[in-house]
Amino acid sequence: MPPRDHLADHPDTLTGERAVYYDAGMLIALLDKETRARATHEALKASPHRPIITGPVLAQVWRDGPATVHTLNGIVRDCTILQAKDDLGPIRGLEEGIIGCLPCHRVYRRADFQRAGKMLGKADLPAKKKLDAVDALIIAAAAWHGPSLILTTDEGDLTAYRAALDTHQIDILSIG
């Protein structure tokens, strides 16, 4: 599929009606300057809702080194970091201090961690995959938004966590 058509099945991502989450694989693909990841990221700059990166995902990918820090800072500038108080708001063009997206300002609660733990316990992971609490927390957060899309390079484990979730409107798209 040509990079420009990668979001063709999800046109609501470009209108901001469907929130988009990046997992660690998507961030790594952007760091590696993979064509589909870059094209998808560029296309999402037209959406009023910035792509969402959870704090645990950013921590999973962040490494020291000038080139990595510089590139990640550029990617993060176009996104919103879920629950980061010093971050840009999730909606482009709003004045500072205006929330714009309530799910993006929600904080994880004990029940969310318990929900992620239940997903870890129920998930039927593909062979050779290990349990990943960071991925389970992405699924939990994406469920807050109602319709959402998670961009990844490896959808197997995320699909297993989503299947273990009690209710959701979450799509998963491999850009790899």
Side-chain angles (χ1 to χ4, degrees):
M1 175 182 303
R4 70 180 182 281
D5 295 335
H6 214 63
L7 294 172
D9 290 338
H10 304 298
D12 52 353
T13 58
L14 300 179
T15 63
E17 297 169 70
R18 179 180 299 267
V20 176
Y21 283 78
Y22 288 176
D23 82 336
M26 176 64 172
L27 286 182
I28 292 167
L30 288 168
L31 279 171
D32 291 343
K33 297 178 176 34
E34 291 184 14
T35 304
R36 286 189 178 181
R38 293 295 314 161
T40 302
H41 182 71
E42 289 300 316
L44 287 168
K45 288 181 181 180
S47 174
H49 197 300
R50 289 180 175 87
I52 303 161
I53 302 170
T54 65
V57 165
L58 186 59
Q60 203 171 36
V61 175
W62 195 273
R63 298 292 181 270
D64 279 339
T68 301
V69 168
H70 176 76
T71 303
L72 273 174
N73 276 330
I75 294 164
V76 168
R77 223 182 348 262
D78 298 325
C79 300
T80 190
I81 307 303
L82 194 66
Q83 303 172 344
K85 297 248 183 229
D86 60 347
D87 193 54
L88 297 170
I91 306 298
R92 291 181 174 91
L94 289 183
E95 294 177 29
E96 187 175 330
I98 296 178
I99 293 176
C101 177
L102 290 176
C104 281
H105 289 276
R106 179 179 168 175
V107 296
Y108 286 111
R109 293 180 171 87
R110 181 181 306 174
D112 297 310
F113 294 116
Q114 291 167 338
R115 191 178 196 192
K118 288 177 188 175
M119 281 186 272
L120 291 169
K122 290 181 181 178
D124 184 18
L125 292 176
K128 298 186 181 180
K129 286 287 187 177
K130 294 182 180 180
L131 294 176
D132 186 344
V134 172
D135 282 348
L137 287 169
I138 294 170
I139 295 288
W144 300 341
H145 274 92
S148 57
L149 174 67
I150 301 172
L151 297 177
T152 183
T153 54
D154 180 13
E155 60 189 301
D157 50 351
L158 289 168
T159 301
Y161 296 131
R162 181 186 64 188
L165 190 62
D166 46 0
T167 182
H168 64 80
Q169 293 179 323
I170 303 168
D171 288 334
I172 299 168
L173 179 64
S174 178
I175 54 89

